Amino acid sequence: MAQPKTNAMRILEKEKIPYEMFTYPVTEEHQDGVTVAALCGQDVKTVFKTLVCKGASKNHFVFVVPVAEELDLKKAARAAGEKSMEMIHVNDINKVTGYIRGGCSPIGMKKLFPTFFHESALEQNFIIVSGGKRGFQIKCEPKLLASACKGQFADLIFH
């Protein structure tokens, strides 16, 4: 039986961007990105999480950072040209993005928000992000993945 396609996969195919899909078993409780990397048998440096924030302007921004790292909100605000930045509440993820917690992909959100990938993605031959549904991961070349969501690269994590 063929795997169902998510919006993220459809967009990559429409843009003719090659990707590989991984699946992993989903549990009832939240699975963090480090756990997902292990379930997919991937190095944590190549697996990235998608975080949605709101700037002082009340506009939304998307930040894609390695799963084992923490987003530096000051650096995120600087990259986005905002005075300050805060994470959106987990209960607002679906309303803002169309995705659910644990299945939020930088590609295929309800709107195309300004998107920033941590610059370490450029050091990898590929990175892995959520495929748009819990249990689905997409592996893709970083610059091609960023091009699918008009993303930029910036320093976004604590050092």
Side-chain angles (χ1 to χ4, degrees):
M1 186 168 118
Q3 291 285 352
K5 293 232 164 102
T6 65
N7 283 345
M9 294 173 206
R10 285 186 202 91
I11 289 169
L12 290 173
E13 289 174 7
K14 182 177 173 233
E15 299 288 325
K16 299 192 180 349
I17 295 174
Y19 70 91
E20 187 178 332
M21 187 189 69
F22 290 94
T23 59
Y24 63 91
V26 176
T27 62
E28 288 298 314
E29 62 274 352
H30 173 69
Q31 295 168 296
D32 68 19
V34 173
T35 302
V36 170
L39 289 170
C40 293
Q42 300 298 314
D43 183 339
V44 292
K45 290 181 181 138
T46 65
V47 182
F48 283 59
K49 58 189 170 187
T50 304
L51 305 171
V52 183
C53 297
K54 188 188 300 186
S57 66
K58 305 295 183 208
N59 291 321
H60 290 97
F61 298 87
V62 177
F63 299 95
V64 186
V65 299
V67 293
E69 302 296 338
E70 188 178 340
L71 178 66
D72 182 327
L73 292 171
K74 287 183 181 179
K75 287 181 178 180
R78 195 173 314 123
E82 291 279 326
K83 286 186 174 151
S84 64
M85 192 68 65
E86 64 183 27
M87 297 284 295
I88 66 168
H89 193 277
V90 68
N91 293 340
D92 294 333
I93 290 173
N94 183 260
K95 181 176 68 175
V96 172
T97 68
Y99 288 127
I100 62 165
R101 179 182 190 196
C104 191
S105 179
I107 302 162
M109 292 187 182
K110 284 181 178 181
K111 277 181 63 180
L112 185 60
F113 298 111
T115 303
F116 299 86
F117 288 76
H118 183 254
E119 60 195 7
S120 67
L122 294 170
E123 299 166 10
Q124 308 299 328
N125 292 328
F126 63 85
I127 62 171
I128 298 169
V129 297
S130 172
K133 183 177 179 184
R134 288 186 73 214
F136 290 75
Q137 295 289 100
I138 290 173
K139 175 181 175 180
C140 189
E141 194 273 313
K143 287 182 182 175
L144 293 176
L145 191 62
S147 73
C149 55
K150 312 257 186 295
Q152 317 174 38
F153 294 90
D155 180 12
L156 301 170
I157 60 173
F158 290 102
H159 293 289

